[in-house]
Amino acid sequence: MDVREGVPGGLDAGIGSRVDGTVSVHLVRLLLQTARRLGVAEEQLARVPGTDAVVLRGELNRLPMSSLLRLWELIARPGAGVAVAEAAPLGALNTWDYLVTTGATLVDSLRAAQPYHRLVTAAAEGFDLSGEADLTVGYRTSASDPVVASTVNEYVLAYYLRRAREATGRPLVPTKVTFGHPAPPDHRLLTDVFGTRAIEFGAAADSITFHADDANAPLPRADPMLADLMRSHADLVLASSRTVADPLDAFRIALTSALDTADPTLARVAKALAMSERSLQRHLADHGTSWRAELDSLRYERAKLLLSQGLPKSAVARRLAFTDDRALRKAVHRWTAASEATA
């Protein structure tokens, strides 16, 4: 029997394809932390799109899968996948971690969580559950490079073992672990991490299998109300997420953050993006826009919203970092005239 039977069929369709090729900032942050511990140069990390601090602070931001794969490429080496899992305590992946640990049993938790795997990674990353009695968790990464793929899969299987142990409260040992990549010269680290010598290399799939007794044992962490709440929250997160598809998206996030603190200056935004002011202006020009145009557009949208809410013009002027009410009135007049001219 496929354990996925009974999963709400319409859920994926409801989420839509908007987040399919993207990943969560939680996973990106986890890889960045590991990359730094492994000694990857900051210059290399800074060149990965979407890794600006201002982007990573946004819990609803989604980054391209290509950025995640680039980080995996930078850390791909023996033991790196295990290092990522070891650096991921419960909660590191936010809602997803609690979805897979708060069901009645391990199998119930994973079955209920499966439709939400895009909370963490792209839809193309395969996540399978199967087994008549024992529970097998399978994973297929979209990484084409064999070294990168082996690193990703080692992380994923080590992650599910860690969460299973946290969920059950016991140092359970899988009955079998399979990897598609060839056996490394020395795989003692994997034997230690998984707690078993029953590790097969060169297999048809990457998977970890839990004994039926472990998969179906009541979980000490079981909390039906919390599990329902997590699923509702997951729906909201996926529906509200924002894709950071290119550097211009990252700039607009940084600009919005600066305006929220009434300090929308070129210097502040450039610093948040780890760029010089001149480089930022050149970057905007390359994308057919400018600092003045972007700031004006954002202020216009904010002003419409705040004024429609009945806020006094003096308060709106302060929030949007205008020098005074008069400067705001001039801007509103200009926006109105431009709108009428294009009507």
Side-chain angles (χ1 to χ4, degrees):
M1 178 188 72
D2 189 330
V3 186
R4 288 176 294 179
E5 184 179 341
V7 168
L11 184 57
D12 276 0
I15 291 170
S17 60
R18 184 167 50 84
V19 300
D20 281 358
T22 66
V23 299
S24 79
V25 294
H26 305 290
L27 184 54
V28 172
R29 283 201 298 256
L30 183 58
L31 260 67
L32 279 171
Q33 292 165 7
T34 304
R36 291 188 173 105
R37 282 197 299 273
L38 294 176
V40 177
E42 285 296 332
E43 311 87 77
Q44 290 182 293
L45 297 176
R47 287 196 289 269
V48 179
T51 55
D52 319 278
V54 68
V55 172
L56 295 179
R57 280 198 298 269
E59 300 299 307
L60 296 177
N61 291 338
R62 302 282 300 189
L63 303 183
M65 181 65 185
S66 57
S67 292
L68 184 71
L69 288 176
R70 178 55 183 150
L71 289 173
W72 280 118
E73 289 171 3
L74 290 173
I75 68 172
R77 66 199 69 178
V82 167
V84 176
E86 290 178 341
L90 187 66
L93 295 184
N94 204 266
T95 307
W96 176 256
D97 281 349
Y98 298 104
L99 281 174
V100 300
T101 56
T102 54
T105 64
L106 182 60
V107 67
D108 287 341
S109 296
L110 290 173
R111 180 168 54 191
Q114 187 180 22
Y116 296 98
H117 82 281
R118 281 179 283 183
L119 279 171
V120 182
T121 191
E125 300 290 283
F127 172 32
D128 302 313
L129 301 173
S130 60
E132 290 291 344
D134 292 351
L135 169 66
T136 297
V137 182
Y139 195 78
R140 302 178 309 281
T141 178
S142 58
S144 57
D145 183 284
V147 177
V148 174
S150 65
T151 303
V152 173
N153 288 323
E154 285 179 7
Y155 153 70
V156 171
L157 301 191
Y159 166 86
Y160 281 110
L161 177 58
R162 177 169 186 171
R163 291 295 176 265
R165 287 171 171 171
E166 291 165 338
T168 60
R170 294 183 285 109
L172 59 81
V173 175
T175 60
K176 186 178 183 180
V177 178
T178 67
F179 289 111
H181 59 82
D186 184 350
H187 54 268
R188 284 177 297 180
L189 173 63
L190 295 177
T191 300
D192 291 343
V193 168
F194 289 98
T196 179
R197 293 183 179 276
I199 300 178
E200 178 184 344
F201 294 95
D206 294 83
S207 67
I208 182 169
T209 299
F210 298 100
H211 192 279
D213 291 345
D214 293 323
N216 294 289
L219 297 184
R221 299 179 57 86
D223 188 331
M225 290 186 65
L226 178 59
D228 285 342
L229 179 62
M230 288 294 99
R231 287 191 289 274
S232 296
H233 182 65
D235 287 328
L236 181 61
V237 167
L238 288 169
S240 306
S241 61
R242 172 174 54 185
T243 301
V244 184
D246 58 43
L248 189 56
D249 289 331
F251 161 77
R252 286 172 174 158
I253 290 172
L255 178 59
T256 300
S257 177
L259 188 61
D260 286 342
T261 60
D263 185 26
T265 62
L266 178 63
R268 177 190 174 114
V269 175
K271 182 178 180 180
L273 296 172
M275 302 171 69
S276 69
E277 294 177 36
R278 181 172 296 181
S279 294
L280 176 55
Q281 289 176 313
R282 188 164 51 245
H283 159 76
L284 293 173
D286 290 342
H287 283 78
T289 186
S290 68
W291 167 261
R292 184 180 297 275
E294 291 291 326
L295 178 58
D296 198 52
S297 176
L298 181 58
R299 276 175 159 170
Y300 172 50
E301 294 301 326
R302 285 290 183 87
K304 283 195 301 182
L305 175 63
L306 296 174
L307 291 171
S308 71
Q309 293 174 343
L311 266 69
K313 286 186 177 179
S314 58
V316 175
R318 284 195 301 273
R319 286 202 188 187
L320 301 184
F322 282 102
T323 53
D324 51 33
D325 298 12
R326 183 167 172 268
L328 172 62
R329 285 196 300 271
K330 287 177 65 177
V332 169
H333 177 75
R334 175 167 48 80
W335 294 328
T336 302
S339 179
E340 291 173 350
T342 57

